[in-house]
Amino acid sequence: MDWTAKREGVMTEADTCREFVTPRLVEAGWSVAPYSIGEQRTFTNGRIIVAGGKVRRGKQKRADYLLYLRRDYPLAVVEAKETGLPVETGVQQAREYAEILGLKFAYATNGHRIIEIDYTTGTEREVDRFATPAELWQRLTAAEKIPEAAAAHLLEPFNLVSGKVPRYYQQIAINRVIEAILLGDKRILATLATGTGKTCVAFQVCWKLWNSRWNRTGEYRRPKILFLADRNLLVDDPMAKMFAPFGDARHKIAGGDVSQSRDMYFGIYQALSTANEDVFRQYRPDFFDLIIIDECHRGSSRNDSSWRAVLDYFEPAVQFGMTATPLREESRDSYEYFGNPVYTYSLRQGIEDGFLAPYRVHRVITTVDAAGWRPSKDELDRYGREVPDDEYQTKDFERVVALRSRTQAIARHLSDFLKGTDRFAKTIVFCVDQEHAAEMRQELVNLNSDLVKQYPDYVCRVTADEGVIGLTHLAHFQDVDKPTPVILTTSQLLTTGVDAEMVKNVVLARVVGSRSEFKQIIGRGTRLKVDYGKEYFNIIDFTGTATRHFADPDFDGDPVGIEEVTVDEAGETVNTVVEAPPGISEPEAPYLEETAEGIGEILTEAADEPRKFYVDGGEVEVIGHLVYDLDSDGKKLQIVRYTEYSGRAVRSMYPNRAELQSAWADPDTRTEVLRELTERGVSFEGLAASADQPDADPFDLLCHLAWNAPLLTRRERAERARKATQDLFGQYGETAREVLSLLLDKYIERGIIQFSALSDLMKVQPFDRYGTPSEIATRHFGGVRGLKDAVSRLQTAIYQQ
């Protein structure tokens, strides 16, 4: 008997790898240092899938083998199949993984046969053996024209002191940038979506070149590197944290301090070129070997930008631009200056790989946003001015006419949403201007006064006006271990450069026409923090911005719009000028905002006239709340009506009405039902508004939406309970019966009452006339346990039918 054939006939893929593939790789020299074999290497986390409020991970991508020339430099991927399958079965997967990982070589094998895929020659052929490390490296360097003397710079190990190994796409970006530098490119661009670690890429590029002593001139010395941005926030944080391994080699150019004895420099344009002096000219034009420009799309590469002089002066240096939002047209700005990106990693790829948080879009529609607003005849605004007769639409609100009732409606809906989900979920509200942000903050404060009483900074405005105070609020907001602030209202200041991992709600209270700015804004929510419960985020859209951008089939391509941010000498935003893509209009701001001192507005009217019309009266209501989820492929948004979504959520939890009723009738198990519904984003306030059933009991509303059951009002349920509990009422004294009757009245007024909130309820009128909660329990119900039992029986009676 051929025992080998028998053994092979039942071999698994793991058996094939162990018995056949690994020995042949060892024969080819891949196990001899510094070469190595990486088995079963997972390189994605698996897309986060949100369904019915529950989160699960999709399948991770895992290579059977990665072949490394050095610890941080893979050369090839190997896809193995069990011996009983044709070798061709693994070819497509080997190609897919090689292309994702940016590798030029791939192999498919079933242990006996080997197919080699060589992207440097475009060939695919069966071979007798695996190529040796030296053979693949020689092929690669020849094809990529990498000079032999430059290999040391490319193969320099990463700095892993932090314990964070660069992700696969970061490794590709790092190596592509260094390859471009070694090949003599002077202008290099890399595009990585917000939240995917551009700073990590910049650090490792700098570290590899600095530690291997690369420089423009070929001398044996460490390079001089400048990390350049347009605001202090973008340089201070990397300098203090990510670039800490550079130690004393770091120096920030500020206050005219132009020390030239360091290697790793940090600076903002404003510090290099002040109103009185071009500080950058104190350095020789050839002083820097490498300049890294963070967020390079924000104006420095524009021909007419005042900051362009800095880059022009340091023309001899290699200039590496990083951005999340480059332009698609090659003749414009960033593309014109830097050329095509050497690597691009998009928002969609980040979500698909499971490195970025997916999003759920809530489109909320108010009456005036749906139908427009028109002033009544001779209507006067807050300052006694007649409001011009016109049809005002979403783009006009807070720019031409400010409707206080609309701001109140938005704040009220957002507060209800948080009450139905998580009132401590970090939330950023993007308003039209600083004034709008201030009014929104005030409305949110008043609507959440119960929490503001305990946490005075529960809601804060963070714009340029707040100065140091605002930056302190922002720092606390970013701290994952600080509960407050919870809600920040802003206009332009937080659109970019803010790393807040716990943002769970991004609220759009203003139109965002620029696709690049929109990407920056939603980037505030894309960071994952799974260990803190942040696995996806909500985009709550009151203007139609999100649904319009996501509906654009080119959304995740290169944006067409141009954004230029003007920043003052302190590195603070002064103005944003946006050119919108065709078909999306972005109203021009009639004034400059986000100044460092909160002044400097350019009014479109006389200086002593308010710059827009303020209408304090009228009523605005939310008339629609639509929920959009990513489809099963994670590529398209599909609309789910809020009422339909809630009904579907209930059906996923309980197969029929009877099981829900059984869990709901018991106050203890009802707590768990309410918790799970809250986790799934079901808000009873919002649901009652969407279904236009404000008097319905939440239980009946859920049953109606899930199984089309008849609706009962809370009053009808209360009256049924009074009749059903006559014996219960009869066993207590007169005062106890009055208390129980009042509880039913409160149920009619407010809905379900949890026993955990009973003590607070009994501290106020009309219960307080019977004494304190403990006195009521002791005197009339035989103690707290007796009161709890009575209330529990009362609530069970409410839901018996």
Side-chain angles (χ1 to χ4, degrees):
M1 176 181 292
D2 187 347
W3 291 101
T4 300
K6 181 178 180 181
R7 182 183 62 186
E8 292 174 8
V10 296
M11 270 192 164
T12 65
E13 186 177 299
D15 294 331
T16 303
C17 289
R18 182 176 59 256
E19 298 291 335
F20 294 102
V21 181
T22 299
R24 300 191 71 174
L25 288 171
V26 171
E27 288 174 10
W30 287 101
S31 64
V32 181
Y35 319 120
S36 63
I37 303 169
E39 296 187 56
Q40 295 298 311
R41 292 299 173 91
T42 298
F43 56 90
T44 72
N45 284 354
R47 180 167 66 91
I48 291 178
I49 301 167
V50 183
K54 288 191 174 181
V55 176
R56 63 180 179 87
R57 284 278 188 179
K59 187 177 180 180
Q60 297 175 317
K61 288 185 171 64
R62 178 184 292 114
D64 291 328
Y65 295 91
L66 283 178
L67 307 182
Y68 289 88
L69 184 71
R70 294 289 189 275
R71 183 195 71 182
D72 304 320
Y73 200 91
L75 274 181
V77 62
V78 179
E79 175 60 28
K81 297 298 179 184
E82 58 191 77
T83 55
L85 294 175
V87 66
E88 290 80 8
T89 306
V91 167
Q92 196 55 48
Q93 189 169 338
R95 281 186 170 275
E96 178 190 356
Y97 285 0
E99 290 164 15
I100 292 174
L101 294 169
L103 302 177
K104 297 299 183 181
F105 307 104
Y107 291 93
T109 181
N110 63 358
H112 296 307
R113 297 171 59 204
I114 303 172
I115 292 179
E116 180 185 77
I117 302 152
D118 186 338
Y119 284 88
T120 67
T121 59
T123 59
E124 178 179 308
R125 61 195 178 93
E126 187 166 347
V127 294
D128 295 329
R129 62 177 178 83
F130 292 106
T132 67
E135 288 170 343
L136 289 190
W137 177 242
Q138 190 279 328
R139 284 193 232 170
L140 180 66
T141 53
E144 301 293 325
K145 298 182 173 57
I146 299 172
E148 184 176 345
H153 307 305
L154 186 61
L155 300 179
E156 178 70 25
F158 295 136
N159 184 301
L160 303 180
V161 171
S162 68
K164 292 184 178 180
V165 178
R167 295 167 176 166
Y168 83 86
Y169 63 86
Q170 293 170 335
Q171 294 187 28
I172 298 172
I174 294 162
N175 290 330
R176 293 272 177 89
V177 170
I178 292 178
E179 285 176 17
I181 291 173
L182 298 178
L183 291 173
D185 290 355
K186 299 295 293 293
R187 305 288 179 268
I188 302 164
L189 179 66
T191 305
L192 292 96
T194 300
T196 56
K198 293 190 293 296
T199 307
C200 172
V201 171
F203 165 70
Q204 296 292 357
V205 166
C206 293
W207 180 264
K208 284 166 73 79
L209 295 177
W210 185 75
N211 217 38
S212 64
R213 286 177 161 75
W214 166 89
N215 56 73
R216 291 181 303 103
T217 61
E219 305 170 43
Y220 187 73
R221 64 171 174 83
R222 296 191 189 276
K224 302 287 188 181
I225 304 172
L226 172 63
F227 187 96
L228 186 60
D230 68 347
R231 59 189 71 182
N232 285 307
L233 192 65
L234 295 179
V235 297
D236 291 344
D237 195 63
M239 179 179 173
K241 298 176 182 176
M242 186 70 73
F243 284 78
F246 281 93
D248 292 339
R250 295 168 296 168
H251 175 72
K252 183 178 180 183
I253 304 172
D257 184 354
V258 291
S259 170
Q260 299 187 13
S261 61
R262 308 295 180 86
D263 295 328
M264 189 71 231
Y265 293 79
F266 298 81
I268 61 173
Y269 298 101
Q270 300 87 329
L272 291 172
S273 182
T274 67
N276 302 320
E277 179 187 11
D278 284 341
V279 175
F280 64 88
R281 295 186 187 277
Q282 297 187 40
Y283 295 91
R284 301 187 317 274
D286 63 352
F287 181 81
F288 293 110
D289 296 284
L290 172 66
I291 298 178
I292 296 176
I293 304 99
D294 194 15
E295 303 293 354
C296 65
H297 68 284
R298 288 214 297 263
S300 59
S301 60
R302 291 174 64 93
N303 288 326
D304 57 353
S305 169
S306 61
W307 296 339
R308 177 68 172 269
V310 176
L311 300 185
D312 288 343
Y313 179 78
F314 292 119
E315 187 274 337
V318 174
Q319 297 178 11
F320 165 35
M322 301 188 301
T323 181
T325 55
L327 300 179
R328 182 166 55 194
E329 300 172 1
E330 292 185 3
S331 61
R332 305 291 295 278
D333 300 342
S334 301
Y335 266 59
E336 180 182 15
Y337 189 78
F338 290 103
N340 291 323
V342 295
Y343 185 66
T344 298
Y345 189 74
S346 69
L347 170 68
R348 181 171 294 160
Q349 286 173 283
I351 293 175
E352 180 63 30
D353 287 342
F355 297 126
L356 293 181
Y359 45 79
R360 166 175 287 169
V361 179
H362 298 256
R363 174 67 175 104
V364 185
I365 307 166
T366 72
T367 49
V368 293
D369 289 281
W373 179 83
R374 188 170 186 173
S376 58
K377 183 176 176 57
D378 300 326
E379 181 160 357
L380 302 180
D381 81 341
R382 183 186 303 167
Y383 298 99
R385 299 173 300 166
E386 184 175 338
V387 182
D389 186 23
D390 201 352
E391 287 283 352
Y392 297 96
Q393 306 296 329
T394 301
K395 62 182 178 61
D396 303 315
F397 299 139
E398 301 303 326
R399 296 183 182 274
V400 181
V401 60
L403 301 179
R404 173 171 286 179
S405 54
R406 178 175 179 267
T407 299
Q408 292 171 337
I410 292 173
R412 186 166 53 249
H413 188 85
L414 175 59
S415 297
D416 288 343
F417 179 85
L418 292 175
K419 289 174 183 176
T421 52
D422 178 2
R423 296 188 75 184
F424 283 89
K426 295 295 180 77
T427 301
I428 302 180
V429 185
F430 290 94
C431 302
V432 174
D433 54 37
Q434 296 194 75
E435 185 179 45
H436 188 209
E439 292 188 0
M440 187 68 72
R441 185 202 69 85
Q442 186 178 66
E443 294 298 335
L444 288 167
V445 164
N446 292 332
L447 288 166
N448 295 276
S449 58
D450 57 330
L451 287 179
V452 173
K453 182 178 180 181
Q454 184 177 0
Y455 303 98
D457 62 346
Y458 179 78
V459 188
C460 296
R461 184 181 77 153
V462 177
T463 65
D465 276 4
E466 279 74 34
V468 175
I469 295 175
L471 293 178
T472 301
H473 287 320
L474 177 58
H476 292 168
F477 182 81
Q478 292 172 293
D479 190 334
V480 295
D481 294 318
K482 289 188 181 296
T484 60
V486 172
I487 306 173
L488 297 187
T489 66
T490 188
S491 52
Q492 299 284 348
L493 191 62
L494 304 184
T495 57
T496 187
V498 176
D499 186 4
E501 297 170 298
M502 286 304 293
V503 172
K504 292 186 178 180
N505 300 306
V506 174
V507 182
L508 298 172
R510 69 174 170 95
V511 174
V512 183
S514 161
R515 192 185 301 164
S516 61
E517 186 186 15
F518 176 66
K519 275 194 170 185
Q520 293 284 0
I521 285 175
I522 66 171
R524 300 313 101 210
T526 55
R527 288 168 174 79
L528 278 170
K529 198 67 175 173
V530 176
D531 50 338
Y532 279 77
K534 162 72 184 300
E535 295 174 303
Y536 68 96
F537 71 104
N538 297 295
I539 301 170
I540 306 170
D541 180 15
F542 289 93
T543 65
T545 292
T547 45
R548 182 170 61 240
H549 279 297
F550 286 129
D552 184 348
D554 294 329
F555 168 74
D556 212 14
D558 299 325
V560 179
I562 303 167
E563 171 188 307
E564 179 178 352
V565 177
T566 306
V567 183
D568 64 15
E569 295 181 0
E572 306 298 340
T573 303
V574 176
N575 188 35
T576 300
V577 178
V578 176
E579 176 185 324
I584 301 178
S585 61
E586 170 74 353
E588 293 185 5
Y591 58 96
L592 294 178
E593 59 178 333
E594 305 290 15
T595 60
E597 299 78 24
I599 59 175
E601 296 180 343
I602 300 176
L603 305 181
T604 56
E605 308 171 29
D608 58 347
E609 285 286 322
R611 56 181 172 76
K612 53 187 173 184
F613 296 97
Y614 299 84
V615 179
D616 294 335
E619 291 186 5
V620 175
E621 297 179 350
V622 170
I623 59 172
H625 182 151
L626 306 178
V627 179
Y628 295 77
D629 277 329
L630 286 169
D631 63 13
S632 57
D633 294 327
K635 295 181 179 178
K636 289 184 179 180
L637 285 173
Q638 56 185 7
I639 187 170
V640 183
R641 293 189 181 276
Y642 193 47
T643 52
E644 293 176 0
Y645 164 76
S646 300
R648 191 173 67 185
V650 172
R651 289 194 300 273
S652 70
M653 293 167 58
Y654 298 94
N656 53 59
R657 182 179 183 276
E659 290 196 23
L660 173 61
Q661 183 173 11
S662 175
W664 192 275
D666 185 329
D668 293 329
T669 55
R670 187 189 316 122
T671 300
E672 180 62 23
V673 176
L674 292 171
R675 185 194 63 78
E676 189 165 355
L677 286 170
T678 296
E679 288 180 354
R680 296 184 180 217
V682 177
S683 161
F684 290 124
E685 294 86 351
L687 195 57
S690 297
D692 194 24
Q693 296 290 341
D695 297 326
D697 182 274
F699 169 76
D700 291 298
L701 188 54
L702 292 174
C703 291
H704 178 70
L705 295 174
W707 299 289
N708 200 30
L711 273 172
L712 291 177
T713 65
R714 293 192 296 273
R715 182 172 297 279
E716 289 171 330
R717 281 205 169 272
E719 294 308 319
R720 290 186 181 188
R722 287 186 205 276
K723 295 177 181 178
T725 55
Q726 287 182 358
D727 59 336
L728 170 65
F729 277 55
Q731 74 181 69
Y732 295 106
E734 182 179 351
T735 301
R737 291 197 298 271
E738 289 179 8
V739 170
L740 292 174
S741 182
L742 285 172
L743 283 174
L744 280 176
D745 292 338
K746 285 297 179 183
Y747 159 73
I748 295 171
E749 177 187 340
R750 299 173 51 176
I752 190 63
I753 298 171
Q754 291 297 98
F755 188 83
S756 58
L758 196 59
S759 60
D760 291 333
L761 177 65
M762 287 187 168
K763 291 177 182 177
V764 298
Q765 294 181 343
F767 296 96
D768 59 349
R769 66 172 180 258
Y770 300 108
T772 65
S774 61
E775 289 173 343
I776 294 173
T778 302
R779 294 174 183 173
H780 308 293
F781 292 91
V784 174
R785 171 60 62 183
L787 174 61
K788 184 175 181 178
D789 289 343
V791 173
S792 178
R793 291 174 62 188
L794 182 65
Q795 293 189 63
T796 300
I798 292 174
Y799 295 108
Q800 279 182 342
Q801 297 87 7

